[in-house]
Amino acid sequence: MAWLVAAAAVAAAAAGGPLEGRTVVLDPGHNGANGAHPDRINRQVHVGGGMYKACNTTGAATASGYAESRFNLFVAREAARILRRDGARVVLTRRTDHGVGPCITRRARIANRAEADAAVSIHADGGPPGGRGFHVIRPTRIEGLTDDIHAPSRRLGRLMRGAYEERTRLPRASYVGGDGLVARADLGGLRLADVPAIFVEALNLRNAVDARRAESPRFRRRIARGIAAGVRDFLTR
Ligand code: ZN
């Protein structure tokens, strides 16, 4: 009977949380075996409005070889755990780091079909070695593509920037402009989103200081707490 009691306790903990009834899609960018399958990830996919992009890319890495895809999955799993504890239903676009893809089109479709209240793609940048810090990317307004989700995505982006900054104490990336919140028209995942969607470039893997943080499990958990806090602020404020 002990397991029944434990199961009931878990259900009770989830019920009544601040995010009960809300759905969050977390998208850990790239995948561990992408580099070994260029034929599959370089396939061109339609991302709306006549624009075509590669199905997926390999992602960045630190100088010592710690891969962005691993970083992204670790952070996504940890953020998912926190958000589920708050009562949310959380869907991940991939669960392992030894696969290929999925294509950016499929990642967007997963969030759209889940009717997510918020979708966050988790990345770590491969920026200039001299530049540090994080930035959040939101979709520009594109008629017929992002006109429906542009405004809530901007709000999600602003709240994410604030919560992430507060929790991680990382600087806003100076090498991209935009004061930590950048609007882009070219990201397939944002062009195809029918739900509020952003990317978080958590830090810069090519910078030595940021790389040390990325390679620390303790700091990765702090990053996950920052992302979870940004989502929670968006869904509860
Ligand atoms: Zn990336």
Side-chain angles (χ1 to χ4, degrees), residues 23-27 89 91-93 104-121 189 192-197:
T23 298
V24 178
V25 170
L26 299 178
D27 171 38
R89 171 185 168 237
V91 178
L92 266 63
T93 58
I104 51 177
T105 42
R106 172 128 173 261
R107 291 171 192 254
R109 203 155 53 232
I110 289 169
N112 293 343
R113 285 193 180 155
E115 298 182 31
D117 294 292
V120 179
S121 282
L192 297 173
D194 293 326
V195 298

Side-chain angles (χ1 to χ4, degrees), residues 16-42:
L19 301 184
E20 197 191 349
R22 316 305 289 274
T23 298
V24 178
V25 170
L26 299 178
D27 171 38
H30 316 285
N31 205 332
N34 280 3
H37 297 273
D39 50 323
R40 287 169 63 186
I41 65 164
N42 289 333

Side-chain angles (χ1 to χ4, degrees), residues 28-30 57-60 68-69 72 122-126 199-201 205:
H30 316 285
T57 51
T58 53
E68 183 197 342
S69 64
N72 296 340
I122 298 170
H123 288 257
D125 209 4
F199 276 46
V200 175
E201 294 282 358
L205 294 182

Side-chain angles (χ1 to χ4, degrees), residues 51-96:
M51 183 185 276
Y52 286 81
K53 305 261 309 216
C55 153
N56 212 203
T57 51
T58 53
T62 65
S64 70
Y66 181 63
E68 183 197 342
S69 64
R70 279 180 65 194
F71 171 90
N72 296 340
L73 184 63
F74 183 103
V75 170
R77 277 183 179 152
E78 191 66 19
R81 196 182 58 75
I82 297 166
L83 291 165
R84 284 176 183 137
R85 200 181 56 202
D86 286 340
R89 171 185 168 237
V90 182
V91 178
L92 266 63
T93 58
R94 66 177 170 98
R95 288 190 187 82
T96 73

